[in-house]
Amino acid sequence: MNTTFENELRKVFDKVPNLENKKYVGRAFYASIDKDIKLKAEFISTETHERFDAMKIRVLHKGEGELDTNTIRLKEI
């Protein structure tokens, strides 16, 4: 049974090619871009506690840590 968060994340990331090992955990999505680079996307609260109004997307390198991050407010989309 999928959660609302998972359903919304699937609408975005199931259509993205070249992502491997896709995993949906709670309000987060994880995938491999290549063997050393991972993607993490999660719903976050920016204004009000427990009101998830944005998505934070991070690109992580196994050895170097965070390469890039972007926060997208859902009202902007």
Side-chain angles (χ1 to χ4, degrees), residues 19-59:
L19 292 179
E20 298 182 10
N21 305 319
K22 295 178 182 180
K23 292 182 180 56
Y24 299 89
V25 181
R27 64 180 199 261
F29 168 76
Y30 302 88
S32 298
I33 296 173
D34 71 19
K35 71 179 186 99
D36 292 328
I37 300 177
K38 311 293 184 206
L39 179 128
K40 178 182 180 183
E42 64 184 319
F43 287 106
I44 62 168
S45 298
T46 61
E47 298 174 5
T48 306
H49 177 69
E50 295 298 314
R51 182 171 175 257
F52 300 99
D53 60 343
M55 182 181 291
K56 181 174 243 181
I57 302 170
R58 295 179 177 129
V59 178

